[in-house]
Amino acid sequence: FFFFFFCWGMSGVSIFLQINFMSFCLVLFFPSPLTHCQSLTLFGLLDAQGEESFLEKEKSRVNHLLMDSAEMEDKPLKIPKEVWLLVDHLFTKACQQEDLFQTPAMQNELQDIIDCLDTSIPDKIPGSNHAVAEALLVFLDALPEPVVCYELYQRCLDCSHDSRQCRQQISLLPRSHRNVFRYLMAFLRELLKYSDQNNLTASLIATLFGTLLIRPPPNLIGRQNQQDRQRATDFILGFLMGGDEE
């Protein structure tokens, strides 16, 4: 077994993890298959626009897909099933959870979540909402290639002040990476609608996810400075505040 040590500190909140995640660490280029129902639900969320809520869009697509899900049953989803399952759980059950992404989880709960996702596509993810949120952070941090590919790292930092150029850089990502990025941004924007309950702010979310989604290539890790981290935060902040419409 391989143990992963992850230490995160932000706004007075420290999260310390030491978990078994050998099979939990998957590469975006080789996503796991999901049912047709789950697949179109995901892509519906990616393209959701207008006044209809995130959840209403999801439900309408699920109902539509139940009619003919069999013919697409074996087609793979273009993002890891872990991302879909963890985000779906948080979206449906934790949008109003107090101090979401700011409260450390119990070690045994994290292990139960990893074991559950490793063996099946569960109907229900075990553990607290805080444990599910932390499992999502661990998964994103464990990806060998970050959601924003290494080759676009510097470009994203350089254009972080220009929302149009930021969107252009995301359009250059491989489809699987682009889908994950857009899915996460849609979810995080939804979380901000409940900031009075979950105590999340756009700045806090951008700081946390900027570090996970926009990571420097291995040869540049030692040269990353506070300005680089701030530019990664600004890049994510633009999508949280302004959307990602083309």
Side-chain angles (χ1 to χ4, degrees):
F1 291 104
F2 183 83
F3 288 88
F4 174 61
F5 177 85
F6 174 60
C7 185
W8 178 263
M10 181 179 62
S11 303
V13 178
S14 295
I15 301 175
F16 174 85
L17 304 177
Q18 187 178 21
I19 63 173
N20 178 341
F21 81 116
M22 181 173 64
S23 56
F24 190 56
C25 179
L26 300 178
V27 182
L28 286 172
F29 292 116
F30 297 97
S32 303
L34 287 180
T35 64
H36 177 46
C37 177
Q38 292 166 324
S39 176
L40 259 69
T41 298
L42 169 65
F43 288 110
L45 297 180
L46 287 174
D47 296 328
Q49 296 179 356
E51 297 180 355
E52 194 172 16
S53 73
F54 199 5
L55 182 57
E56 288 169 342
K57 281 287 186 182
E58 180 177 35
K59 287 181 177 178
S60 66
R61 279 161 173 75
V62 169
N63 291 335
H64 172 72
L65 286 165
L66 289 176
M67 301 177 188
D68 60 349
S69 60
E71 68 177 272
M72 295 288 289
E73 196 170 44
D74 296 328
K75 290 195 175 182
L77 185 63
K78 298 302 183 182
I79 71 168
K81 68 178 175 61
E82 286 78 3
V83 172
W84 187 87
L85 291 166
L86 292 169
V87 169
D88 182 70
H89 176 99
L90 293 171
F91 168 67
T92 57
K93 297 178 173 61
C95 280
Q96 300 184 56
Q97 176 67 58
E98 185 178 6
D99 294 332
L100 191 65
F101 290 114
Q102 302 166 75
T103 302
M106 297 295 292
Q107 169 68 38
N108 63 313
E109 290 185 324
L110 282 167
Q111 187 62 58
D112 288 344
I113 291 171
I114 293 170
D115 292 342
C116 176
L117 295 178
D118 184 43
T119 57
S120 64
I121 298 178
D123 293 328
K124 179 181 179 181
I125 297 179
S128 67
N129 291 334
H130 295 302
V132 176
E134 200 156 310
L136 176 62
L137 301 183
V138 171
F139 179 83
L140 294 173
D141 192 69
L143 291 170
E145 179 87 7
V147 174
V148 175
C149 301
Y150 287 136
E151 65 182 74
L152 294 180
Y153 169 75
Q154 192 59 52
R155 295 186 198 176
C156 289
L157 296 190
D158 292 341
C159 73
S160 60
H161 63 285
D162 187 320
S163 60
R164 183 186 62 81
Q165 290 187 38
C166 290
R167 292 194 297 272
Q168 184 178 34
Q169 294 305 314
I170 294 304
S171 72
L172 298 177
L173 289 172
R175 183 179 179 185
S176 56
H177 289 244
R178 186 170 65 250
N179 287 342
V180 173
F181 183 88
R182 296 186 65 196
Y183 184 45
L184 289 172
M185 291 304 106
F187 164 62
L188 295 175
R189 286 194 295 270
E190 190 68 17
L191 283 184
L192 288 173
K193 296 179 181 179
Y194 302 91
S195 58
D196 288 343
Q197 291 79 34
N198 58 36
N199 297 325
L200 287 169
T201 65
S203 178
L204 188 153
I205 290 176
T207 300
L208 176 57
F209 281 85
T211 301
L212 297 173
L213 303 180
I214 308 175
R215 304 201 309 262
N219 64 313
L220 294 180
I221 290 178
R223 295 158 56 185
Q224 186 185 36
N225 55 40
Q226 182 56 41
Q227 183 182 17
D228 293 335
R229 287 187 283 272
Q230 183 59 52
R231 288 195 292 174
T233 296
D234 292 343
F235 186 94
I236 299 299
L237 193 59
F239 287 91
L240 295 179
M241 303 305 294
D244 64 350
E245 292 80 7
E246 298 297 334

